[in-house]
Amino acid sequence: MKTTAIRKTNHVARLCVLMVLCAFCGGRAVAQDYLYEIGGGLGVAQYYGDANRGLLGSTGFGLEAFGRYNHNFRWAFSAILDWRSLSGNSTHVGNVFPGAAQADFRASLTQLHVRAEFNFVPYSDGYKYLGAARLSPYLTAGISMGMASGTKGSAFAPGITGGVGVKYKLKRRLNIGVEYAFTGLLTDALDALTEQSAWLNNPYQVNDSWLKNRDATGALMVRLTYDFGLRKSNCNKR
């Protein structure tokens, strides 16, 4: 009887140890297989300001270098260095400017965005028992630091950025994504960097708050990234 009791105790002890290990692994498994992603993207960029008020007008070209740190299935943090070619024409706006002035401009904008991302669905090609999926929509928000350049000079262009996107894991280390991000700039000088358009920097001379009467940009990007930096884990990933 004593031997049987000892055996049962041993079985219970082993089961307890196994449950503790599983619980520990379950906690670790909320993380991605890989810590980091690196890649790039291209797409169309848009300017919003005094020389364009429409949603689809004034489109240009955008390029980016992209990096992401995957904190867990739900949360990630990214940094983006991008370049955008922007343009606008005040004749298509429909506003009446002082002196009936009109202008068109071309400028480039280089920005560094630092953002947080939230996945609506746990994102991974493994860990099916945790509800992870290869496809996930997400929201992102953060801050931007940039420099705009034109034929007349350059202007510092910090901003606040936010966007929505969807990403899909093509293979274990390869991801593709589509994202639209909008960046509200804390300057009105983006469209005033040519000789002809310099007056577009606060054309009505209205003293608004630091959030009003400012320019903005948007970009629709297609992105490809590669995972690296394998996270150590002994848990079942499938």
Side-chain angles (χ1 to χ4, degrees):
M1 294 293 293
K2 184 180 292 187
T3 302
T4 302
I6 292 174
R7 287 177 180 173
K8 289 183 178 180
T9 301
N10 289 338
H11 288 321
V12 172
R14 289 173 184 170
L15 180 60
C16 290
V17 171
L18 181 61
M19 291 177 65
V20 169
L21 290 175
C22 288
F24 178 75
C25 286
R28 296 278 306 269
V30 299
Q32 287 273 42
D33 290 338
Y34 296 93
L35 285 169
Y36 309 106
E37 294 177 45
I38 192 170
L42 56 85
V44 294
Q46 294 173 298
Y47 148 80
Y48 303 100
D50 295 308
N52 176 47
R53 297 293 184 184
L55 292 177
L56 299 178
S58 298
T59 57
F61 184 69
L63 291 171
E64 68 174 22
F66 181 87
R68 177 185 282 134
Y69 166 69
N70 294 305
H71 181 63
N72 55 37
F73 278 143
R74 293 283 190 176
W75 287 98
F77 301 92
S78 62
I80 303 171
L81 180 64
D82 68 15
W83 175 86
R84 299 176 185 180
S85 174
L86 304 170
S87 64
N89 192 323
S90 61
T91 60
H92 304 308
V93 176
N95 291 343
V96 178
F97 293 103
Q102 300 292 343
D104 63 85
F105 80 96
R106 292 186 180 275
S108 63
L109 178 64
T110 303
Q111 293 177 292
L112 175 65
H113 311 274
V114 180
R115 320 177 312 174
E117 298 179 7
F118 176 75
N119 299 320
F120 286 100
V121 179
Y123 182 65
S124 176
D125 63 341
Y127 302 104
K128 303 299 183 182
Y129 63 96
L130 292 177
R134 301 170 70 100
L135 178 72
S136 178
Y138 64 90
L139 290 176
T140 183
I143 60 174
S144 303
M145 303 295 284
M147 185 66 68
S149 300
T151 57
K152 189 184 177 186
S154 58
F156 182 52
I160 301 172
T161 186
V164 60
V166 61
K167 50 190 174 183
Y168 177 73
K169 190 168 284 294
L170 290 170
K171 295 183 179 180
R172 182 164 183 177
R173 289 182 179 235
L174 198 61
N175 310 272
I176 190 170
V178 178
E179 176 187 290
Y180 181 81
F182 179 87
T183 303
L185 301 176
L186 305 182
T187 179
D188 193 37
L190 178 62
D191 47 17
L193 297 175
T194 66
E195 294 290 344
Q196 185 185 8
S197 65
W199 59 271
L200 285 174
N201 189 353
N202 194 9
Y204 299 104
Q205 299 301 308
V206 177
N207 294 323
D208 284 329
S209 69
W210 63 280
L211 282 176
K212 294 182 179 180
N213 195 31
R214 299 293 183 260
D215 296 325
T217 68
L220 178 65
M221 305 296 291
V222 177
R223 180 180 300 140
L224 191 67
T225 63
Y226 178 80
D227 296 346
F228 68 100
L230 185 63
R231 189 189 302 271
K232 295 179 181 180
S233 176
N234 296 319
C235 303
N236 183 6
K237 301 175 183 177
R238 305 294 169 186

